[in-house]
Amino acid sequence: MINSLQLPSHIEQEIEQLAKQQQQPLCAYLYDLNALESHIKGMRHVLPKNVELFYAAKANPSEPILRTLAPYVDGFEAASGGELNHLHQQRLNKPLIFGGPGKMPSELEQAIELDVDAIHVESITELQRIGALTQKLGQSASIFLRMNIDIGDITLSKLAMGGKPTPFGLDEAELDNAIMLLRDYPLIQLKGFHFHLMSHQLDVSRHLALMERYFQVVKGWKQKYTLDELTINLGGGMGINYQDPKQHFPWEEFCDKLEFLIAKEQMQNWLLRFECGRYISAPCGYYVMEVLDIKQNLGENFVIARGGTHHFRTPAAQNHDHPFVVLHNQQRPKISNPIGHTTATLVGQLCTPKDVLARNQVIERIDIGDYVVFTLTGAYAWNISHQNFLMHEPPLFHYF
Ligand SMILES: Cc1ncc(COP(=O)(O)O)c(C=O)c1O
């Protein structure tokens, strides 16, 4: 379902085709939309019946990605007024949900006017703002309360948004207050609770333990506050393993076990929802950099290629060596400086020592004009990068 460190032959062909059309050394993002389609279909296929799958657009909001996903997802999550507007303009014909801390009153108003499926409320202040807006506009709003809870001895992943002090969600101690406030605002409808406590989750049993905890706390709140039917948004966070691409989060195994957990916890009649980003769109992307120079500096090899972290900040943001494949250019440039059976650091064109994509990597053979193809670049890549730094040209974008 997910790519490994061998490039599929059709990707090699796409890169070679694209390179032939260029006057300049190649620098491009390629997105395999067929692979994305079969991946999302596969994810959907194994989901338990009462679980919805939303796409968190922050992972990659580009139009072809959204359009490919739209038939297979239950909706899209926006995390800013900008994303909400973008998703709305795409006319994807799917429900939109709106989350994120520090929403401005104008963004909340925009969400109410667009009649989004739900606003994820991050604080009491936000609840008061929404209440005042519903009264001003004479329009109702559906909300989920985003909660941050104590998760006891469940281990956090490397990127935690909750289960410890963070700016995200309401503390459980504020729930009484939130429920009381809701009585003052009859135009607000509490549709459920939202949790997104961690990203980069690779461990099924830890994630299931988290789901179980969510089920139990929400059942407790439903009883305590005599609430009507509720949906639980279980967040996203299923991880991509950049160090060992054969060990991504095992989605099928997770869904299988989730079904048992749902039965055990008697949650079959609840509506549950995921809002995944990285796990959906990372595997379909490739970032290709053509090698411009190879040099030795104080005893180490450096491969300098066209592009860098200003296009592809993921390795710097995650502080990891990003997986890649070297694709040899059959049309050799005139100037050559091959290295092989050695190690090298792969860098971009920026004049900062932080512009490193992979450090001290074992290299079988590489030469000027070859392509370094970074895999798993379909999520949190181009759109999280400092694109204007040094005014280099943007990469090409090729969707196929
Ligand atoms: C509230 C919320 N939901 C969903 C996501 C998507 O997470 P991921 O891409 O790890 O699935 C994020 C990511 O930061 C988030 O903050």
Side-chain angles (χ1 to χ4, degrees):
M1 200 146 84
I2 281 184
N3 61 6
S4 65
L5 265 196
Q6 258 196 320
L7 280 186
S9 59
H10 70 283
I11 302 292
E12 289 189 9
Q13 283 159 17
E14 288 290 336
I15 294 170
E16 280 158 6
Q17 276 298 110
L18 201 60
K20 270 193 207 142
Q21 297 157 11
Q22 310 309 313
Q23 308 293 328
Q24 296 282 357
L26 184 63
C27 179
Y29 270 104
L30 282 81
Y31 300 95
D32 185 345
L33 298 179
N34 286 334
L36 177 64
E37 186 177 20
S38 52
H39 178 47
I40 190 74
K41 267 189 187 169
M43 283 182 75
R44 211 164 176 125
H45 186 65
V46 294
L47 260 188
K49 268 203 302 293
N50 57 326
V51 186
E52 293 184 335
L53 181 58
F54 277 57
Y55 175 59
K58 59 174 80 71
N60 185 335
S62 77
E63 191 182 330
I65 300 273
L66 298 176
R67 293 215 173 285
T68 304
L69 294 175
Y72 307 102
V73 294
D74 293 289
F76 293 89
E77 188 243 8
S80 72
E83 273 190 2
L84 188 56
N85 197 25
H86 174 68
L87 288 167
H88 175 66
Q89 281 175 354
Q90 302 298 316
R91 310 220 169 279
L92 299 160
N93 276 328
K94 287 285 158 124
L96 304 180
I97 52 181
F98 181 37
K103 299 181 199 73
M104 293 189 292
S106 58
E107 293 175 307
L108 293 169
E109 184 162 344
Q110 176 191 354
I112 295 170
E113 283 182 335
L114 288 178
D115 195 21
V116 296
D117 185 76
I119 302 173
H120 300 158
V121 175
E122 297 266 352
S123 70
I124 295 288
T125 310
E126 214 168 85
L127 190 57
Q128 288 168 323
R129 286 197 176 121
I130 296 170
L133 281 165
T134 55
Q135 286 167 346
K136 182 184 104 177
L137 301 168
Q139 215 171 313
S140 61
S142 297
I143 63 152
F144 281 44
L145 292 174
R146 179 176 180 177
M147 305 301 297
N148 186 8
I149 53 168
D150 179 4
I151 55 170
D153 59 359
I154 302 171
T155 315
L156 293 170
S157 66
K158 76 172 193 179
L159 190 65
M161 278 86 163
K164 63 175 196 177
T166 67
F168 310 115
L170 278 111
D171 191 308
E172 196 172 345
E174 293 198 290
L175 189 53
D176 278 355
N177 195 3
I179 300 286
M180 291 257 287
L181 261 178
L182 282 170
R183 299 199 182 121
D184 296 341
Y185 297 119
L187 287 174
I188 300 185
Q189 197 199 348
L190 176 64
K191 279 184 56 172
F193 289 93
H194 173 281
F195 301 90
H196 176 78
L197 294 198
M198 52 189 93
S199 279
H200 291 296
Q201 178 64 275
L202 293 171
D203 190 302
V204 166
S205 47
R206 282 185 206 161
H207 215 57
L208 285 165
L210 204 57
M211 304 294 109
E212 187 172 15
R213 177 98 180 95
Y214 298 163
F215 295 162
Q216 290 172 356
V217 292
V218 176
K219 281 192 286 188
W221 294 336
K222 183 170 190 287
Q223 206 176 20
K224 177 172 176 195
Y225 300 108
T226 52
L227 300 171
D228 294 336
E229 209 170 281
L230 293 169
T231 298
I232 310 179
N233 186 323
L234 304 162
M238 288 72 181
I240 288 291
N241 191 335
Y242 294 99
Q243 301 323 309
D244 182 358
K246 291 194 185 72
Q247 301 285 330
H248 297 312
F249 183 80
W251 176 263
E252 282 186 36
E253 180 194 340
F254 172 71
C255 287
D256 215 28
K257 293 184 172 162
L258 181 63
E259 193 148 10
F260 277 99
L261 180 64
I262 288 171
K264 180 178 141 248
E265 289 293 320
Q266 300 184 323
M267 300 295 291
Q268 297 96 326
N269 297 326
W270 291 62
L271 184 60
L272 306 171
R273 175 180 286 174
F274 286 116
E275 50 178 32
C276 301
R278 187 183 308 273
Y279 193 81
I280 293 178
S281 56
C284 75
Y286 300 84
Y287 177 57
V288 185
M289 302 168 75
E290 184 169 330
V291 178
L292 301 171
D293 203 349
I294 296 178
K295 59 201 256 189
Q296 288 73 44
N297 201 310
L298 299 180
E300 284 188 27
N301 292 311
F302 290 86
V303 172
I304 302 166
R306 182 163 185 210
T309 51
H310 55 306
H311 295 165
F312 177 46
R313 198 172 69 90
T314 319
Q318 298 300 332
N319 196 19
H320 73 205
D321 298 315
H322 204 89
F324 65 95
V325 177
V326 175
L327 181 61
H328 299 293
N329 187 344
Q330 305 310 331
Q331 273 136 29
R332 293 253 62 93
K334 288 200 192 88
I335 298 178
S336 159
N337 184 21
I339 52 171
H341 305 290
T342 185
T343 57
T345 292
L346 310 182
V347 303
Q349 297 173 285
L350 303 185
C351 47
T352 157
K354 296 195 172 164
D355 190 23
V356 174
L357 303 143
R359 212 174 281 278
N360 291 326
Q361 299 295 301
V362 175
I363 300 281
E364 207 174 301
R365 182 169 74 83
I366 196 163
D367 200 354
I368 293 167
D370 286 343
Y371 307 107
V372 182
V373 184
F374 291 93
T375 58
L376 303 168
T377 68
Y380 304 106
W382 167 248
N383 65 323
I384 63 156
S385 305
H386 44 291
Q387 302 156 9
N388 293 334
F389 183 47
L390 289 195
M391 299 175 79
H392 281 293
E393 280 179 28
L396 295 171
F397 288 90
H398 182 59
Y399 298 87
F400 57 98

